[in-house]
């Protein structure tokens, strides 16, 4: 069973609203990641964290922000949602240098 | 930045057929990985390869880490309907925490 949880699973929200996508893992992993993926398309890394109080931007520029105050929690925030933010957001975590990422089930965001 | 070239982009096959996909790069990787993403879910690790030339099986799946460290392939034998999904190769550079994903191979099984 997955030990990384994302909520909500689906979200439809109006333009201009502030939203936070939640991601929590119970595996004690130090590294966490956010990916953006349009349906059926490639994965784009938008944020990552190597531990508490560590956050870095990924390869794809994103207007979202992240925080890592606790090891198990890595929320993503959009201050003002726009239709261009419509996508699926996947959270993942890992430990060590094995390349073994555990992914959540994703949040499918639609901004209308 | 580093890029992985994954092919084919899509495959349409009959149930029972064998499947082959591969990933190449101009960079040398320390680790090669293969993930599968079912519709509506996050990717799940299928096979991890840590040594050049390594050939590893997981049920009907077989993957190899190329001798040059610049490529890897994944074979699926006797495909079944639950094999449908997107297969991503991924490479990890020496002592880099992040992995680089290919653009995926979309596997479709014709009725």
């Amino acid at each position: 069973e997955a030990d990384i949880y994302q909520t909500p699973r689906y979200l439809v929200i109006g333009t201009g609203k502030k939203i936070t996508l939640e991601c929590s893992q119970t595996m004690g992993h130090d590294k966490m990641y956010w990916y953006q993926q349009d349906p059926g398309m490639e994965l784009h890394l938008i944020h990552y964290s190597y531990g508490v109080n560590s956050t870095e931007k990924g390869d794809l520029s994103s207007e979202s922000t992240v925080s890592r105050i606790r090891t198990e929690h890595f929320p993503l925030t959009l201050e003002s949602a726009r239709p261009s933010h419509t996508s699926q957001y996947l959270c993942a975590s890992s430990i060590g240098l094995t390349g073994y990422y555990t992914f959540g089930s994703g949040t499918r965001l639609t901004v209308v | 930045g580093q890029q992985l070239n994954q092919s084919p982009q899509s495959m349409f096959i009959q149930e029972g057929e064998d499947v082959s996909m591969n990933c190449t790069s101009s960079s040398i990787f320390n680790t090669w990985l293969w993930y599968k993403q079912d519709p509506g879910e996050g990717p799940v690790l299928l096979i991890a390869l840590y040594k050049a030339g390594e050939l590893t099986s997981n049920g009907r799946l077989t993957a190899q880490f190329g001798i040059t460290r610049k490529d890897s392939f994944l074979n699926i034998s006797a495909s079944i309907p639950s094999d449908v999904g997107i297969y991503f190769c991924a490479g990890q550079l020496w002592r880099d925490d992040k992995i680089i994903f290919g653009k995926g191979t979309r596997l479709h099984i014709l009725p």
Side-chain angles (χ1 to χ4, degrees):
Chain A
E1 294 296 324
D3 295 305
I4 184 164
Y5 306 96
Q6 290 188 244
T7 57
R9 189 73 191 270
Y10 301 94
L11 180 62
V12 180
I13 200 162
T15 298
K17 298 292 186 183
K18 177 180 178 179
I19 59 170
T20 296
L21 308 184
E22 301 288 347
C23 177
S24 294
Q25 50 98 3
T26 59
M27 298 170 286
H29 286 177
D30 51 349
K31 303 173 185 65
M32 296 188 74
Y33 314 84
W34 276 103
Y35 286 84
Q36 184 175 341
Q37 182 188 34
D38 290 332
M41 301 301 287
E42 58 193 286
L43 300 161
H44 294 287
L45 180 66
I46 52 175
H47 298 284
Y48 60 98
S49 166
Y50 287 157
V52 171
N53 294 325
S54 151
T55 60
E56 301 287 344
K57 289 190 178 295
D59 306 317
L60 181 69
S61 176
S62 173
E63 293 168 345
S64 58
T65 59
V66 292
S67 62
R68 190 91 182 275
I69 298 172
R70 303 197 316 267
T71 298
E72 63 271 22
H73 195 215
F74 192 38
L76 181 146
T77 298
L78 274 167
E79 291 292 333
S80 180
R82 294 208 302 266
S84 60
H85 297 139
T86 294
S87 189
Q88 175 164 251
Y89 294 84
L90 288 160
C91 181
S93 69
S94 71
I95 192 166
L97 296 173
T98 62
Y100 187 168
Y101 284 21
T102 301
F103 281 86
S105 296
T107 293
R108 181 75 60 88
L109 174 66
T110 302
V111 184
V112 298
Chain B
Q2 310 292 342
Q3 280 196 323
L4 297 183
N5 301 307
Q6 186 171 353
S7 65
Q9 184 176 2
S10 292
M11 299 184 74
F12 293 82
I13 62 167
Q14 300 281 349
E15 183 177 347
E17 286 186 26
D18 296 343
V19 172
S20 184
M21 59 191 79
N22 67 81
C23 216
T24 62
S25 175
S26 58
S27 301
I28 293 174
F29 286 96
N30 200 54
T31 302
W32 280 97
L33 309 114
W34 287 91
Y35 285 80
K36 184 200 175 193
Q37 184 177 27
D38 288 330
E41 297 294 331
V44 173
L45 181 68
L46 296 174
I47 291 178
L49 303 152
Y50 299 106
K51 191 175 176 181
E54 179 181 357
L55 184 72
T56 296
S57 293
N58 178 6
R60 294 177 296 106
L61 277 60
T62 301
Q64 184 159 30
F65 190 145
I67 288 290
T68 65
R69 294 183 169 269
K70 295 182 179 181
D71 63 333
S72 178
F73 72 75
L74 175 71
N75 287 342
I76 305 172
S77 62
S79 57
I80 59 177
S82 61
D83 291 335
V84 165
I86 307 176
Y87 292 80
F88 291 100
C89 66
Q92 185 177 37
L93 298 168
W94 175 249
R95 299 199 69 78
D96 191 342
D97 300 85
K98 300 191 305 301
I99 60 176
I100 300 162
F101 284 95
K103 295 185 177 182
T105 293
R106 288 131 197 90
L107 181 62
H108 306 270
I109 296 184
L110 300 168

